Amino acid sequence: MATFTERMAPVLVLWLAVCLSGTWAVDRGNFKTCDQSSFCKRQRALKPGESPYRALLETMELTNTRLTLQLINDNNKVRLLLELYRLQGNITRVKINELKPLKPRYEVPDVLVREPPTEPLSVLSQDENGVVLSLGAESQRVIVSARPFRLDIMEGHDVLMSLNSRGLLAFEHLRMRKDTFSYKVTSTVASVWDNIKRVFSSQAEPEAENKEEADSANQAETAKEEEEKVEEGMWEETFKSHSDSKPNGPSAVSLDFSLPGVEHVYGIPEHADTLRLKTTDNGDPYRLYNLDVFQYELYNPMALYGAVPVMLAHNTKRTTGIFWLNAAETWVDISSNTAGKTVFGKMLDYVQGSSETPQTDVRWISESGIIDVFLMLGPTPKDVFSQYASLTGTQSFPPLSSLGYHQCRWNYNDQEDVRSVDAGFDEHDIPYDFIWLDIEHTDGKRYFTWDPHKFATPKEMLQGLLEKKRKMVAIVDPHIKVDSNYKIHNEIRSRGFYVKNKDGGDYEGWCWPGSAGYPDFTRADMRAWWASMFAYDQYEGTMENLYTWNDMNEPSVFNGPEVTMHKDAMHGSWEHREVHNLYGLYVHRATAEGLIQRSGGVERPFVLTRAFFAGSQRYGAVWTGDNAAEWDHLKISIPMCLSLGLVGISFCGADVGGFFKSPSSELLVRWYQTGAYQPFFRAHAHLDTPRREPWLFGPENTALIREAVRQRYTFLPYWYQLFYQAYRTGEPVMRPLWVEYPQDPATFAVDDEFLIGRDLLAHPVTEEGSRGVTAYLPGKDEFWFDIHTFQKHNGAQNLYIPVTMSSIPVFQRGGSIIPRKLRVRRSSTCMENDPYTLFVALNTRRSAEGELYIDDGHTFNYEKKEFIHRKLSFANNVLSSVNLAPDAQFTTKSWVERVVILGASKPGKITLKTADGEESQLDFEFDASMSVLTIRKPGMNAGEDWKITLK
Amino acid sequence: MHLLLIVAAFLCSGTVEARKVRGISSSYKRFYRERKSFLCIDGSKMIPFEQVNDDYCDCADGSDEPGTSACPRGRFYCTNLGFRPHYIPSSRVNDGVCDCCDASDEYNSHTRCQNTCWNLGQKERAYVEGQMRTLDEGLRLKQRLIEEGVLLWREKQAQLRELQQAAEDLQVKLEEHRRRKHEADQLKEQTIKSLEVGKDGFRPQNTSVTSLFQLLDNNKDGSISVDEVKAKVVLVHDEKRVLSEDEALVLLGGGREMDLTKFRHTLWDILTRGDNVKIKDGAPGGPANEDPHLKEADRAAEWEATSLRKVEEAYETVNMEISDLQKKLDIDYGTDWEFLFLSGQCYKLQVYEYNYTLCPFNQVTQKSTTGTEVSLGMWGMWAGPPKNHYSQMVYENGEPCWQGGSRTTTVTLTCGTETGLRSAKEPSKCQYIMDFQTPVACQPVLKQRGVHSEL
């Protein structure tokens, strides 16, 4: 078997060289522009104007929780059904579908965690021009205007959001292809049926019938006229050498949203672009279509590996969000009436009072499906996070060890290689938790197998890692080698689990193993089977410290259109077109479920994915794909992960060092320093690059990297607590500044620094040869303490920080308490029982607050209330620990070895009162130059009540 | 019995001390004498002695916590009785991983560590003994190889000298032959010139008239007959046709025979003019070739040319051999030419699906089981560290790589009793490393290392 791959390898390389031009840049020609995507071109050709849609108010039906209303397109008389829901937590859901589609249109399943609970809607007023509905409390209303149709969401006198205000609602109704025989037959049959129905219904509702008849006559006439205009690309489309058969014809949907008062919009990852989204008037819209982009370019709206159709809008008064639940290819246009105006111009407007309100207009275009949009109305950023979390769930709570450092490379060649890299970390005293194996570890790219020579005894290897309390990740991609001697393939084929091509046979594409099939992960039975393959007796050579990585799950098809699957491939009765952006989520989900099941539901999984969709946060971590060893790629890692965090995906990271190309030692060090303060911290490198384990760049650089990784490990308790918070609330772990300082416009576009939780601000050095960085420290009344020197800085200032190669500018917010573990060991698991040092940074009121979360670090027992969650607070010279979860139970061996109070004054004495009422005096040291008070060895258990008093 | 008590007492006191100040070596004991206070070894701070090993880091240098994990920069001393003592970072104390073979680092953790020092020590001693044997044997073999190397070197040098001598001889010979060829050529040229003078309308020399007459006079009877004319003379415009009886008669001036005197005045003129008839081609010797002097000169020139070519070839071959040998001898074969014996050898190793071949001082290749052979580099240089220059070889400029650059192989030489490839790896794409074992890599310094068992 190995020889076959051997033979295929050169072919593949040749193919890659030809197909990917072998150059170090994305071949843009491989990917569609809006103009090359026929529906985008068609839809974008529609210009703002009066909408042809009219609300038929007489069709309005209002139950307690749902309003329905028909819309009619006056051009073709096709009717749509509008559904409007008020959801719990200040969310409004708007659904638009065809009233009577020729066949059902796809509605995205499995993304919402449940059918969202509704709240009552009531009509406030109604006349022939429209209806006003109350959205419950907070004086929020929806105004449904009839002619033309539009929706305005108001709060008091303010319009929060308007839908179809620019008249860009467009809904390509399903239709018969006119030039085919079947159309003629069916349409005749259909009209026969219509006539019969009419006869029956006329007996019941003679009046309505007349109207209907008039309408349908009208409709038939205009529809005919309308459908004459068959545009190119409606019934089939060719891109490069690939043709899309489009048997269902045009089916695009589109809607515009106006956001008055909004100048900043965020989200809709994944794009290699700034945090603040740009207007798209002069170029392509932002594209959402999961694609394996070879060497992506930065600062453009091209689609990448994942798609989350969620946009956040923010101004000093309010944050809102739009969640466009559609898994087909989607494009998002953004325009703004203030874009292009200079700051001076804006000021002039303001002074002269001539300014129109700033406004951002957004337009969503999807190739298929329905319009199903959730308007998350805030008003605060955290409200939007919890609103979105209520719909799609929160970040899965990862095993603590996965927050440590990950060492990856394509590829660690054999067991001996793994052993020696592992030993290298010990030799150089650098902690790490996971070592990773890329595709070459398999037997000829057959996932769930091991190369029989290079990884002959995987359990032995895993046992070796286990003895050092370390773990491993092995890759499992969703393309399955077509090979009748491969068990996985045979099973999938015999169970009929493969995605089918348009002619009904198993879809086959070209990927790493050569010819490959793609399991249909949209099927629940397929996912269940896939999950069962991770059982220890199925996936041979695996143990509990082996975890999984899903790559190539866009899906990547080397010889497919845009390097992905043909849109007319079939998932049961649905075309791939409908489910494309969901595929990766399903792969991720099935894999995570497999890891849960193999432990009998006890252990938390860890699965990394490249492709994702709304809801992927529930299944694990993502990374930003195949970046490059360039300074700009280091910089873009910040906005890329910030954008993901805003839409619920907190566990994000970029390949440290850059995947393609080889980093200079300076870039590598700076990348470690940046990655150490980002949620998912993994170094990775391409097969063709020279080795870059941390100790290969001379002792100085080794020391710098060691220090960066060690800093990460000292903050693990804080990271873990933030992930617990993300799991509970949906709040991002890595946050843009504006999330915490929503009223400070200076923070709105900042994306070269970020917050970790609320209390740490990081401004990593991302410039080559940098001698200093200017960090914006937000908050008028805040203090920020340098975590290394403990120097205190005032908030609301741009602070210039001189830097050397060892500098990682990070600040702790005054008013916060951060628990850390300063005894950095070779892996996070080795640090489990270690004592804490509490860093108490005082604010202007000389107080501080923080939390401490502890559990076993790896099981689901936290769901059974087996954890410690404490509130730490300092006020009136008393530092105390109070139980935040009295009903939870857990014991820890960890104790508090040290308390460091920043911005303190010197006390006369310090006493500790523990839970049993005993009081003792504590030693301390005071550094007057930095106002740092260090309390020596209070020694109390971290899980108990205690009180330290400064006198 | 007495001895046993002493040993027991010794062990006892040892453990007592260890409990007091855990994690230090005997050489550091003087810093930890039980007093009221403890001075951090770097002198930075004075602390009460109770705070030594109390699981809280007071000294910046970590010296107050040699036996706990409290200090980030601390170190813990594994006594490892029976094996080799060594320091581990403090972070490995009580981390659940057994680091010291005497289990002393996990005195307060769930992990139950076995004392494996004795086993390790035995293994280590066996290993070291093996290494020693290998080293001894290796050094012995190396000495022989050095001797052989020297001989080989001398032999090669002698060979070179011989070749150089041969080259010199050939050089002399070559000059001689060049001179002789030159002379022969000159003679030939002169001969031709003198012949050409005759041809150009001046009276041909008697000799040539006579020689032509003799050529025609086949039966040497002193006169040319009709048959003799028919046999040797042809029409210029129709060489194939044999002259008729009548035509021959015309050429002989109407008579059936012609003597030399008549020939000189009649047929000679006709033949030398050559516009109607001529001597048949292929007949031995035309008017020019026929000249015995010229023939001689020609033969001589040709002979000399052939001889010269032979000498030249020999000279070239010898020179090539010299330059090959010199190139080989220019390579650094070590201070005692101990690596010389590797030159011209090749060593093979199969690793997974690849067959690697190292031909020292020449090239490295890789052949896959599917049969394609790829160059992993040509001999480049010695690349060991200054202290051990001959410990590493680099082969460079192998087959180009897909993403630029070319394949390079670094060969590390290690001491062993046999010469051969031990491993071949490709840690990064197109960067190969090999382990090559040979007695000549054995270094006497190795011998000084060994197991110290502290008691």
Side-chain angles (χ1 to χ4, degrees):
Chain A
M1 281 303 109
T3 50
F4 177 71
T5 351
E6 267 319 306
R7 266 187 291 118
M8 294 319 296
V11 177
L12 190 64
V13 167
L14 188 69
W15 182 87
L16 279 170
V18 171
C19 225
L20 307 170
S21 334
T23 55
W24 285 115
V26 67
D27 186 353
R28 283 186 181 228
N30 280 336
F31 304 101
K32 288 183 183 178
T33 61
C34 178
D35 257 359
Q36 289 167 318
S37 191
S38 74
F39 77 94
C40 186
K41 186 180 181 184
R42 276 199 310 277
Q43 296 292 318
R44 225 186 180 204
L46 299 178
K47 295 298 171 202
E50 183 158 311
S51 174
Y53 283 96
R54 185 156 55 82
L56 302 172
L57 294 179
E58 63 279 16
T59 65
M60 186 173 86
E61 284 175 32
L62 178 68
T63 65
N64 192 23
T65 59
R66 183 175 101 137
L67 174 126
T68 59
L69 186 65
Q70 291 180 20
L71 308 178
I72 187 160
N73 181 337
D74 277 331
N75 289 339
N76 60 12
K77 297 292 180 257
V78 173
R79 288 190 186 202
L80 305 179
L81 180 70
L82 167 81
E83 292 173 77
L84 213 138
Y85 301 85
R86 176 64 179 173
L87 305 183
Q88 283 176 17
N90 204 11
I91 306 168
T92 297
R93 181 181 194 177
V94 177
K95 253 174 114 166
I96 303 174
N97 196 350
E98 284 182 62
L99 181 63
K100 290 174 185 165
L102 207 56
K103 56 198 248 184
R105 297 181 66 119
Y106 190 71
E107 298 188 32
V108 176
D110 299 320
V111 166
L112 300 178
V113 283
R114 55 182 170 170
E115 194 49 44
T118 53
E119 279 183 352
L121 275 171
S122 59
V123 175
L124 290 177
S125 64
Q126 182 178 4
D127 58 20
E128 72 274 20
N129 296 319
V131 190
V132 180
L133 296 159
S134 163
L135 289 177
E138 297 178 57
S139 70
Q140 280 185 7
R141 286 154 294 147
V142 184
I143 300 170
V144 183
S145 305
R147 187 186 287 264
F149 163 70
R150 68 181 267 173
L151 291 174
D152 293 278
I153 296 177
M154 309 274 299
E155 186 177 285
H157 296 291
D158 296 330
V159 178
L160 302 183
M161 206 183 279
S162 305
L163 280 64
N164 200 31
S165 53
R166 290 191 298 152
L168 294 170
L169 168 62
F171 212 105
E172 291 179 337
H173 60 282
L174 298 179
R175 62 202 77 179
M176 283 298 189
R177 190 166 186 169
K178 288 195 71 181
D179 53 356
T180 60
F181 173 72
S182 66
Y183 165 76
K184 284 164 191 155
V185 173
T186 334
S187 58
T188 324
V189 173
S191 57
V192 169
W193 269 109
D194 276 351
N195 286 329
I196 294 170
K197 267 196 290 186
R198 211 166 287 145
V199 171
F200 281 110
S201 58
S202 65
Q203 291 170 341
E205 293 175 80
E207 275 211 9
E209 165 55 22
N210 283 339
K211 198 170 173 347
E212 174 93 2
E213 195 166 26
D215 266 354
S216 66
N218 207 352
Q219 181 175 346
E221 201 175 306
T222 6
K224 203 176 244 171
E225 198 177 297
E226 180 77 9
E227 284 180 21
E228 292 300 330
K229 290 194 294 178
V230 172
E231 287 175 48
E232 204 188 327
M234 275 186 167
W235 292 96
E236 99 180 307
E237 185 171 344
T238 304
F239 177 66
K240 304 193 92 172
S241 59
H242 303 283
S243 95
D244 174 2
S245 65
K246 288 192 163 182
N248 297 321
S251 58
V253 296
S254 158
L255 182 59
D256 65 278
F257 302 78
S258 291
L259 302 159
V262 169
E263 290 181 86
H264 292 82
V265 287
Y266 308 94
I268 52 168
E270 179 176 41
H271 299 100
D273 208 350
T274 51
L275 172 65
R276 180 195 180 182
L277 297 171
K278 294 171 183 146
T279 58
T280 57
D281 300 320
N282 300 319
D284 259 9
Y286 283 99
R287 188 181 189 205
L288 293 172
Y289 191 58
N290 293 356
L291 291 175
D292 178 4
V293 181
F294 182 79
Q295 296 190 337
Y296 57 82
E297 281 177 32
L298 306 184
Y299 304 109
N300 74 49
M302 284 171 74
L304 287 178
Y305 314 93
V308 184
V310 175
M311 181 185 282
L312 271 61
H314 177 73
N315 62 24
T316 52
K317 293 197 200 97
R318 181 180 283 271
T319 310
T320 58
I322 297 169
F323 171 28
W324 175 268
L325 180 50
N326 189 305
E329 180 184 343
T330 296
W331 298 78
V332 185
D333 255 324
I334 298 168
S335 57
S336 155
N337 60 355
T338 54
K341 275 192 190 172
T342 60
V343 176
F344 180 73
K346 283 184 201 173
M347 260 167 56
L348 206 64
D349 282 349
Y350 180 75
V351 172
Q352 294 171 343
S354 68
S355 167
E356 49 178 333
T357 324
Q359 177 168 314
T360 296
D361 294 305
V362 182
R363 179 189 192 191
W364 297 73
I365 304 168
S366 288
E367 181 174 14
S368 200
I370 64 162
I371 292 172
D372 189 1
V373 60
F374 297 80
L375 310 172
M376 302 175 286
L377 299 174
T380 68
K382 284 177 191 173
D383 290 330
V384 175
F385 299 142
S386 81
Q387 285 154 5
Y388 181 62
S390 75
L391 299 171
T392 66
T394 59
Q395 179 66 53
S396 64
F397 190 31
L400 172 57
S401 55
S402 64
L403 300 178
Y405 171 64
H406 299 257
Q407 180 67 34
C408 186
R409 172 177 181 83
W410 175 23
N411 215 102
Y412 286 121
N413 296 332
D414 51 24
Q415 288 180 208
E416 169 55 24
D417 201 357
V418 169
R419 196 205 54 74
S420 80
V421 171
D422 175 74
F425 278 91
D426 286 340
E427 189 189 334
H428 298 94
D429 200 18
I430 300 171
Y432 90 93
D433 271 83
F434 284 80
I435 186 164
W436 291 53
L437 295 180
D438 209 324
I439 50 175
E440 312 296 332
H441 84 277
T442 59
D443 179 9
K445 317 294 177 335
R446 292 170 188 82
Y447 305 105
F448 300 101
T449 70
W450 303 85
D451 184 295
H453 306 292
K454 295 168 184 169
F455 294 90
T457 53
K459 276 194 180 173
E460 220 169 82
M461 168 179 66
L462 289 166
Q463 186 60 41
L465 292 170
L466 191 68
E467 277 161 18
K468 290 199 189 155
K469 305 199 173 187
R470 287 173 177 152
K471 302 172 168 67
M472 175 172 261
V473 169
I475 200 164
V476 174
D477 286 351
H479 50 259
I480 302 300
K481 186 178 177 70
V482 174
D483 168 7
S484 57
N485 291 317
Y486 177 29
K487 182 187 89 174
I488 298 283
H489 163 73
N490 289 338
E491 288 241 3
I492 297 174
R493 170 159 285 184
S494 68
R495 288 164 193 257
F497 280 161
Y498 277 127
V499 172
K500 302 289 185 282
N501 59 36
K502 68 179 188 330
D503 305 315
D506 285 348
Y507 179 90
E508 275 182 29
W510 198 264
C511 209
W512 296 127
S515 195
Y518 293 76
D520 187 355
F521 283 90
T522 67
R523 291 175 61 162
D525 52 356
M526 157 61 208
R527 292 199 301 274
W529 176 84
W530 178 267
S532 74
M533 287 299 104
F534 288 89
Y536 297 120
D537 57 349
Q538 290 290 332
Y539 188 170
E540 280 171 37
T542 65
M543 296 188 358
E544 65 273 21
N545 64 336
L546 181 76
Y547 296 80
T548 311
W549 169 19
N550 292 148
D551 196 0
M552 314 297 279
N553 52 340
E554 293 75 25
S556 179
V557 181
F558 290 162
N559 59 342
E562 303 191 87
V563 202
T564 192
M565 192 172 276
H566 291 73
K567 282 177 172 172
D568 52 11
M570 298 301 291
H571 300 255
S573 58
W574 296 108
E575 280 190 289
H576 183 69
R577 187 187 325 281
E578 310 282 358
V579 306
H580 176 84
N581 285 347
L582 265 180
Y583 189 83
L585 173 142
Y586 277 130
V587 175
H588 196 197
R589 171 178 168 176
T591 305
E593 281 167 357
L595 294 196
I596 295 171
Q597 283 169 26
R598 71 173 186 181
S599 72
V602 172
E603 297 289 329
R604 288 175 230 169
F606 171 75
V607 183
L608 178 74
T609 181
R610 192 170 70 181
F612 51 82
F613 189 66
S616 284
Q617 68 269 19
R618 305 196 295 263
Y619 309 114
V622 306
W623 94 108
T624 61
D626 299 345
N627 62 359
E630 291 169 2
W631 288 91
D632 276 349
H633 273 270
L634 168 58
K635 285 189 196 97
I636 205 86
S637 71
I638 298 173
M640 286 180 82
C641 279
L642 285 175
S643 297
L644 277 162
L646 287 176
V647 299
I649 300 178
S650 267
F651 206 177
C652 167
D655 285 347
V656 169
F659 178 66
F660 291 112
K661 302 192 183 178
S662 199
S664 65
S665 53
E666 184 189 356
L667 175 57
L668 186 68
V669 167
R670 291 301 190 199
W671 213 317
Y672 269 98
Q673 293 175 340
T674 304
Y677 287 91
Q678 291 177 347
F680 176 55
F681 182 26
R682 181 187 74 152
H684 187 31
H686 190 276
L687 184 70
D688 287 334
T689 61
R691 286 284 176 136
R692 56 167 97 134
E693 284 71 49
W695 49 87
L696 295 176
F697 299 83
E700 269 179 44
N701 291 310
T702 305
L704 291 168
I705 293 171
R706 178 191 300 124
E707 175 55 25
V709 179
R710 290 176 65 99
Q711 284 183 31
R712 167 61 166 232
Y713 276 76
T714 67
F715 277 107
L716 282 179
Y718 182 61
W719 282 104
Y720 194 51
Q721 170 206 320
L722 289 175
F723 269 91
Y724 181 69
Q725 189 188 11
Y727 155 73
R728 293 293 299 269
T729 66
E731 282 174 29
V733 169
M734 178 176 165
R735 301 173 191 171
L737 268 56
W738 65 261
V739 167
E740 294 296 338
Y741 300 89
Q743 287 165 4
D744 180 358
T747 63
F748 292 0
V750 171
D751 63 5
D752 57 352
E753 64 183 52
F754 54 90
L755 291 165
I756 301 160
R758 223 180 124 195
D759 300 334
L760 274 188
L761 183 148
H763 188 118
V765 181
T766 57
E767 295 277 349
E768 185 170 19
S770 183
R771 292 168 173 248
V773 298
T774 302
Y776 179 69
L777 301 180
K780 252 207 310 273
D781 308 318
E782 301 276 35
F783 291 145
W784 291 96
F785 294 88
D786 186 310
I787 63 157
H788 312 291
T789 64
F790 303 138
Q791 197 181 342
K792 184 166 82 177
H793 302 283
N794 290 318
Q797 66 154 329
N798 280 304
L799 178 70
Y800 179 79
I801 307 146
V803 299
T804 63
M805 270 316 289
S806 65
S807 308
I808 317 178
V810 179
F811 303 88
Q812 183 179 344
R813 191 178 59 82
S816 68
I817 301 174
I818 295 183
R820 293 170 69 180
K821 284 186 175 180
L822 302 187
R823 302 186 182 187
V824 176
R825 303 197 190 242
R826 75 183 109 202
S827 76
S828 68
T829 312
C830 290
M831 295 163 65
E832 186 187 351
N833 298 320
D834 279 346
Y836 290 92
T837 295
L838 305 179
F839 284 84
V840 181
L842 300 184
N843 61 15
T844 47
R845 294 175 302 283
R846 307 190 57 70
S847 65
E849 279 185 2
E851 289 177 23
L852 176 61
Y853 176 85
I854 307 172
D855 64 14
D856 65 22
H858 59 96
T859 71
F860 281 108
N861 291 350
Y862 65 89
E863 289 178 345
K864 294 186 261 168
K865 295 274 174 193
E866 288 183 23
F867 61 84
I868 292 165
H869 194 192
R870 305 199 66 87
K871 180 177 181 131
L872 307 170
S873 45
F874 184 92
N876 304 318
N877 280 327
V878 177
L879 175 65
S880 62
S881 170
V882 182
N883 200 346
L884 275 176
D887 55 339
Q889 286 274 312
F890 189 73
T891 51
T892 177
K893 285 190 172 175
S894 295
W895 47 287
V896 180
E897 69 170 329
R898 192 184 289 108
V899 176
V900 181
I901 304 180
L902 311 178
S905 42
K906 187 175 182 176
K909 69 170 191 175
I910 301 177
T911 56
L912 166 71
K913 196 173 173 183
T914 48
D916 51 16
E918 262 183 53
E919 224 174 288
S920 55
Q921 195 164 331
L922 300 176
D923 290 342
F924 62 89
E925 272 179 33
F926 184 72
D927 174 356
S929 67
M930 284 291 168
S931 304
V932 177
L933 175 68
T934 305
I935 304 174
R936 186 186 193 280
K937 209 182 176 191
M940 59 284 187
N941 185 284
E944 289 173 1
D945 289 341
W946 49 263
K947 201 177 270 186
I948 290 174
T949 309
L950 278 54
K951 288 172 184 157
Chain B
M1 188 62 201
H2 216 69
L3 187 73
L4 214 81
L5 274 177
I6 292 169
V7 171
F10 178 80
L11 285 176
C12 238
S13 69
T15 39
V16 166
E17 182 134 36
R19 199 182 304 136
K20 259 188 206 153
V21 185
R22 198 192 293 269
I24 57 167
S25 73
S26 54
S27 57
Y28 273 81
K29 274 181 186 156
R30 62 197 168 90
F31 294 109
Y32 296 90
R33 296 242 168 77
E34 179 107 41
R35 291 193 193 97
K36 262 197 99 150
S37 52
F38 172 81
L39 181 66
C40 303
I41 293 178
D42 65 0
S44 60
K45 202 172 177 183
M46 184 84 87
I47 57 168
F49 197 84
E50 303 89 75
Q51 291 184 10
V52 170
N53 275 347
D54 72 338
D55 208 11
Y56 183 88
C57 190
D58 292 292
C59 299
D61 65 352
S63 58
D64 64 316
E65 297 293 319
T68 76
S69 59
C71 288
R73 267 175 286 279
R75 54 181 197 165
F76 178 90
Y77 184 79
C78 310
T79 306
N80 288 351
L81 214 61
F83 185 52
R84 185 192 307 151
H86 71 108
Y87 282 101
I88 59 168
S90 286
S91 64
R92 293 180 196 170
V93 174
N94 292 326
D95 67 345
V97 181
C98 307
D99 290 286
C100 306
C101 63
D102 62 4
S104 57
D105 60 318
E106 297 299 314
Y107 59 87
N108 188 19
S109 83
H110 282 306
T111 312
R112 291 278 152 263
C113 300
Q114 306 290 317
N115 187 326
T116 56
C117 290
W118 183 247
N119 276 343
L120 280 175
Q122 254 182 333
K123 262 190 216 160
E124 171 90 355
R125 277 184 288 275
Y127 173 76
V128 169
E129 270 165 37
Q131 287 290 94
M132 288 311 195
R133 270 198 304 278
T134 303
L135 185 57
D136 284 343
E137 175 71 4
L139 286 172
R140 201 176 53 72
L141 289 168
K142 180 179 179 178
Q143 196 50 46
R144 213 168 66 199
L145 285 167
I146 288 174
E147 281 158 24
E148 277 174 23
V150 171
L151 289 180
L152 200 58
W153 176 258
R154 286 196 194 132
E155 195 181 295
K156 295 269 176 194
Q157 288 290 353
Q159 200 182 333
L160 181 63
R161 273 195 305 279
E162 261 168 47
L163 282 169
Q164 279 165 340
Q165 187 56 54
E168 268 171 44
D169 293 351
L170 280 169
Q171 176 92 36
V172 172
K173 232 171 151 184
L174 196 64
E175 270 157 33
E176 168 68 14
H177 276 273
R178 281 202 185 115
R179 189 182 53 74
R180 273 157 64 181
K181 177 171 183 285
H182 183 70
E183 282 169 8
D185 284 349
Q186 266 185 333
L187 180 68
K188 183 180 162 191
E189 226 158 85
Q190 276 168 7
T191 315
I192 288 171
K193 253 186 203 153
S194 61
L195 277 176
E196 274 169 0
V197 169
K199 263 188 185 172
D200 286 349
F202 297 98
R203 282 221 72 81
Q205 288 180 353
N206 286 354
T207 46
S208 50
V209 180
T210 319
S211 69
L212 189 56
F213 183 81
Q214 279 167 355
L215 174 74
L216 288 170
D217 183 13
N218 203 33
N219 56 6
K220 310 288 177 218
D221 61 349
S223 69
I224 301 167
S225 66
V226 171
D227 284 345
E228 281 166 346
V229 168
K230 274 166 78 179
K232 294 270 167 67
V233 179
V234 290
L235 289 169
V236 168
H237 61 267
D238 193 0
E239 295 174 39
K240 297 267 163 60
R241 188 165 68 81
V242 179
L243 294 181
S244 65
E245 195 89 357
D246 293 344
E247 285 163 341
L249 283 171
V250 172
L251 287 177
L252 290 173
R256 294 205 66 87
E257 293 198 345
M258 181 180 271
D259 62 9
L260 179 62
T261 322
K262 201 173 175 195
F263 174 78
R264 191 192 301 270
H265 297 292
T266 58
L267 190 53
W268 164 250
D269 270 354
I270 295 165
L271 281 171
T272 45
R273 233 184 289 128
D275 33 7
N276 290 312
V277 290
K278 60 171 195 174
I279 298 295
K280 193 196 259 178
D281 282 344
N289 290 344
E290 196 49 34
D291 189 281
H293 297 280
L294 181 60
K295 222 156 132 189
E296 180 123 335
D298 199 43
R299 207 179 297 132
E302 216 160 273
W303 170 260
E304 290 304 337
T306 313
S307 309
L308 177 62
R309 223 171 14 252
K310 276 184 192 158
V311 179
E312 271 174 349
E313 269 166 25
Y315 184 68
E316 246 168 65
T317 311
V318 169
N319 269 332
M320 247 152 65
E321 272 176 51
I322 289 173
S323 93
D324 275 1
L325 193 56
Q326 261 171 345
K327 229 184 264 169
K328 276 189 186 171
L329 291 174
D330 279 348
I331 291 173
D332 181 355
Y333 293 106
T335 42
D336 302 316
W337 302 292
E338 67 269 32
F339 294 101
L340 184 58
F341 80 102
L342 295 173
S343 177
Q345 305 292 316
C346 288
Y347 302 90
K348 285 184 189 296
L349 182 72
Q350 168 105 28
V351 181
Y352 303 132
E353 67 269 44
Y354 294 110
N355 235 315
Y356 293 89
T357 306
L358 167 67
C359 305
F361 307 108
N362 183 9
Q363 60 166 351
V364 184
T365 56
Q366 177 203 53
K367 195 169 179 181
S368 77
T369 41
T370 50
T372 43
E373 191 170 67
V374 171
S375 165
L376 305 186
M378 309 301 291
W379 164 249
M381 62 194 138
W382 289 105
K387 269 189 176 172
N388 198 0
H389 185 55
Y390 299 108
S391 63
Q392 215 164 64
M393 294 169 153
V394 171
Y395 293 79
E396 47 203 5
N397 297 320
E399 199 101 333
C401 298
W402 186 40
Q403 296 290 3
S406 59
R407 287 166 171 78
T408 307
T409 304
T410 305
V411 180
T412 302
L413 286 82
T414 52
C415 172
T417 51
E418 273 164 32
T419 298
L421 263 182
R422 297 301 300 265
S423 75
K425 290 180 198 164
E426 188 186 6
S428 305
K429 199 84 182 165
C430 298
Q431 303 289 317
Y432 296 82
I433 53 172
M434 288 181 165
D435 182 12
F436 183 64
Q437 217 175 55
T438 171
V440 289
C442 298
Q443 297 291 337
V445 283
L446 262 178
K447 237 181 158 171
Q448 289 163 11
R449 282 201 223 134
V451 185
H452 301 271
S453 31
E454 193 171 292
L455 284 170

